[in-house]
Amino acid sequence: MMMQDVWNQFGPAIATIMFAWTMYQNYFPHELRGHIRRYTDKLVNYFYPFMHIIFHEYETDGWFERSKAYVAIERYLSKNSSTQAKRLVANVVKDGQSLVLTMDDHEEITDDYEGEKVWWISSQKEANRQTISWYPREEEKRYFKLKFHRKNREIITNTYLKYVLDEGKAISVRERQRKLYTNNKGDGGYDGYRRRMWSQVVFEHPSTFKTLAMEPNKKQEIMDDLETFSKSKEYYAKIGKAWKRGYLLYGPPGTGKSSMIAAMANFLQYDVYDLELTAVKDNTELRKLLIDTTSKSIIVIEDIDCSLDLTGQRKKEEKKEKEDKVEKDVIKEELKKREEKKPSEVTLSGLLNFIDGLWSAIGGERLIVFTTNFVEKLDPALIRRGRMDKHIELSYCCFESFKVLANNYLDVASHDHFPEIQRLLGETNITPADVAENLMPKSSKETADTCLARLIKAIETAKVEAKLKAEEEKAEKEKVEKENEEKKKGAAATEYAKKPDDVKENGNCSETNGVKENADVS
């Protein structure tokens, strides 16, 4: 009976509230409702101790453009959502390597920052009109609400939000799917109405510093240099330099220059932009390519001495004369004519500005890497310090490099053949690529002993070939010197024969007299 009395009294109260609310919605003017709501909110806020900050999913301007702040917060909250929220949403993020778990609508999680508690709430605002919209931001107005105590206003707005956004961006970078880019030609592909400057594939090169055949001390030095660079944003700003660093990799073919670039990219988790200079129309397009690159990337120009005639632009006429005398091969002439149909107008000056000019300061955290087999062919201005800050020579295989390769290919740390291989490597030049090829088993029946024996035989063969080549070069050099000496004698004899007889006689007399006079004087 008591419960029935409560419901009998509670029912009319609910009916009265519903009637008042209906009258308010239907008959109160819109302007009056606005004033009532405003003053009601003020009254509530006077006693309510918490503050709210709203982060909408879509930007106010633009179509389908998600707010960068919303995306960063979503990535930051993903690590807390999976442990606190009861209802999760799994999203496949573009260019991401894994699923991102975020809290569903109307879920709430807590976060602690410097001992202060904050609340993150995921919500969705329903559309006011019952119409079909082509734009998802009009239908799905999702947002994050940050709730915190008003006493923490300064710490939240000044430091906590910056920490959340920076951490969210860092998570996005770490979990992104890294890409390998190559530049398109001037008539390349188009993305909508805009020509795409770069084509891309997923970067999946397995090379790391652990698998790289190199002396351990030198390897560690490069790793320390890269790590220092990646953490030096404030330092570069302090000294007034663009946050970039140049690396020149040089050495004979097969010494691991491309593997070194892949190891650098995997170590720093950077994208790679493989720039083909011959496909660049002019200096203007070169700058556009630079603008279209992202931070945390490595811009690579491989075999720069072969890419363009960059070394000869200061001595163009002299080089042209030499080429006219030397290059007479029909095939080379034909290839040269084809290349001259659409020559690249990229100049040495344009490339220098690309590396170290005003345009190089666009963006940040970039490495610029040049590779070459013949460093002496490059213009000194191109590889000076400040442009190519660190020069790394990748030379022939030493014993330390061999041990890395033996461990990688054969899982062998020591063997009876090692002393013999160490002796041979000290006497012979052989590239890490040749060593690796001999260490790789050619069938399932081959053992480590078989592969090491094959390597010893290959090094001995290379030693004999190098000796024969040196003897041939020496004989060729002596032959050329002898021919030049004979040509000089023949030219002198011909010149003497062309002189008139009286000149010859006078010359002989004067020469004889001169000798006699000198003899008398002495």
Side-chain angles (χ1 to χ4, degrees), residues 54-67:
I54 304 297
F55 300 89
H56 292 283
E57 181 178 9
Y58 288 95
E59 299 282 359
T60 305
D61 300 327
W63 296 349
F64 306 106
E65 185 177 356
R66 299 185 79 199
S67 168

Side-chain angles (χ1 to χ4, degrees), residues 286 314 347-357 360 379 381-383 387:
L286 186 63
R314 302 193 178 195
T347 63
L348 178 61
S349 174
L351 185 59
L352 295 181
N353 289 329
F354 174 85
I355 301 168
D356 195 35
S360 66
D379 193 297
L382 190 64
I383 59 176
R387 290 191 175 119

